[in-house]
Amino acid sequence: SQVRDIFAGSASSDPEKLTPSGGYVYFVARTLLLGQGLYRSDSTFAGTVRLTDLVSSLTSVLFSQRLLPIAGNGLVFGKSILLLGSRLYRSFGSDATTTELVDLGTRDDEVGELVDLDGSVVFSALLSSGVGRELYISDGSPGSVALIRDIASGSASSQPSSLTVSQSYVYFVANDGIHGTELWRSNGTAAGTELVCDIASGTASSAPHNLTALDHAAGALAFIASPTGNAGDNKVYITNGSCAGTQAESFSGGVGGVLGALQNVIYVAASNDSSGEPRLHAVSLCPNGTYVTEGGACTACRSCQANETEAEPCGEQTNTVCAASGLSGGGGDGGGSDTVLLGFGLEVVVVSSI
């Protein structure tokens, strides 16, 4: 049922950016007299209210790409107003607790993406007159906004985009003016902000996109990029945050995009035959930190036999190493068959002891 007719009559308030936080749903909507603004709802008529605009919204208004929930049942959001510039705000659901964190000035016509990095807000902005659009961080308190790193030094902009948090890092796409548009990551400090890998070497751009967070030993992130800078050569990449740990999986007919990850499987839209028609493919993340595509099998962690001892445990890239214990006799109970599934690359080997 309808909660409240915000824009009375047959007109639409166009509610968007619905974000739950602290028992409320926050969203952006508009009315004829007040224009676009931030609302809070507890799913009742009386509890659906507009929060203070702080700055008049009668002129053209653009809210940040997302409303970001923060600790304490609060919310951080950006708001850009024609001729007045952009500002970053924090709210805990009432007019009294809605405050300005920073005035980004009139240089910035849009507050960039907002993400939560271990309790801090990371976002892209065009803030200082001597710095281009770069990454900034705030602990959510007024005046706490600080530049993380000037990636494209000076007034040039690295244009950080596609901010994606995984395993205590923000992964993003940026151009430092030297390596082209590539994948970067940051832990919120200048020293911890680094290029992950120059996939399309030199000034060419691999143009990473479809960044998908993973929580697995096989990697922190899956994404699409081109090693040649040509979109027709796009591949699926999985990275653990280092260049050595960034691996590509090719599909003969090209890759459309990473559709998402569910448990230990990454789903990819790609063509792997001469038809060129995109189909759904699965890349399985294996328990020992490797990954395989369809037709392969995960490396099962091997169990040592009765006459063996475990020399090395199953690790991220290697299987269990067993060593002879010096005991005589057959494996298992001395009869029957113990079967262990081992994976080497994309091959499957069945080992039986009789």
Side-chain angles (χ1 to χ4, degrees):
S1 61
Q2 185 183 72
V3 175
R4 183 164 188 161
D5 189 9
I6 294 174
F7 200 137
S10 60
S12 299
S13 65
D14 297 326
E16 61 176 353
K17 306 182 192 299
L18 277 68
T19 305
S21 181
Y24 293 101
V25 172
Y26 293 86
F27 60 96
V28 173
R30 67 183 183 92
T31 67
L32 178 62
L33 295 178
L34 297 176
Q36 195 174 51
L38 181 68
Y39 287 77
R40 181 208 73 190
S41 178
D42 61 1
S43 77
T44 68
F45 177 89
T48 301
V49 297
R50 184 181 180 113
L51 300 181
T52 177
D53 286 324
L54 294 179
V55 178
S56 173
S57 295
L58 292 178
T59 55
S60 178
V61 173
L62 181 65
F63 277 79
S64 52
Q65 295 179 25
R66 65 177 296 205
L67 310 177
L68 180 68
I70 59 173
N73 299 327
L75 193 77
V76 170
F77 61 97
K79 185 176 176 181
S80 303
I81 304 174
L82 182 66
L83 302 179
L84 297 177
S86 300
R87 292 169 172 83
L88 195 65
Y89 296 97
R90 180 192 67 188
S91 178
F92 289 100
S94 68
D95 288 352
T97 61
T98 302
T99 57
E100 181 182 299
L101 295 182
V102 63
D103 184 346
L104 301 176
T106 57
R107 295 184 70 227
D108 205 348
D109 58 0
E110 180 183 3
V111 177
E113 302 164 68
L114 303 170
V115 294
D116 183 341
L117 178 63
D118 297 335
S120 293
V121 181
V122 174
F123 62 100
S124 65
L126 186 61
L127 186 57
S128 169
S129 60
V131 178
R133 178 173 288 277
E134 299 291 351
L135 277 188
Y136 288 81
I137 190 168
S138 170
D139 64 9
S141 62
S144 66
V145 174
L147 174 69
I148 295 178
R149 178 178 167 182
D150 187 10
I151 294 174
S153 60
S155 59
S157 295
S158 69
Q159 299 290 356
S161 63
S162 302
L163 276 62
T164 306
V165 176
S166 182
Q167 300 180 12
S168 294
Y169 279 88
V170 177
Y171 287 83
F172 59 99
V173 178
N175 188 332
D176 63 359
I178 300 172
H179 299 96
T181 302
E182 299 291 351
L183 183 68
W184 289 66
R185 72 172 188 169
S186 175
N187 64 0
T189 69
T193 302
E194 59 190 2
L195 175 69
V196 173
C197 200
D198 188 15
I199 294 174
S201 61
T203 57
S205 297
S206 69
H209 56 284
N210 276 190
L211 275 60
T212 304
L214 308 174
D215 185 14
H216 199 276
L221 193 83
F223 61 99
I224 306 295
S226 169
T228 65
N230 184 338
D233 296 328
N234 279 342
K235 301 178 185 295
V236 178
Y237 285 83
I238 299 174
T239 183
N240 63 5
S242 69
C243 194
T246 301
Q247 306 175 61
E249 182 62 46
S250 299
F251 292 87
S252 60
V255 177
V258 175
L259 302 181
L262 179 63
Q263 294 181 334
N264 295 330
V265 180
I266 303 169
Y267 294 94
V268 179
S271 171
N272 222 11
D273 55 39
S274 58
S275 71
E277 293 295 325
R279 292 181 173 84
L280 184 65
H281 296 266
V283 178
S284 298
L285 303 173
C286 302
N288 70 334
T290 59
Y291 65 90
V292 294
T293 53
E294 300 131 315
C298 283
T299 302
C301 288
R302 178 188 176 192
S303 298
C304 295
Q305 301 299 304
N307 64 336
E308 297 175 320
T309 58
E310 185 178 289
E312 295 180 23
C314 187
E316 289 193 0
Q317 300 296 333
T318 59
N319 209 326
T320 310
V321 176
C322 299
S325 62
L327 299 177
S328 59
D333 58 5
S337 174
D338 291 330
T339 301
V340 180
L341 177 66
L342 304 179
F344 298 92
L346 297 183
E347 300 299 326
V348 179
V349 180
V350 176
V351 179
S352 298
S353 60
I354 304 300

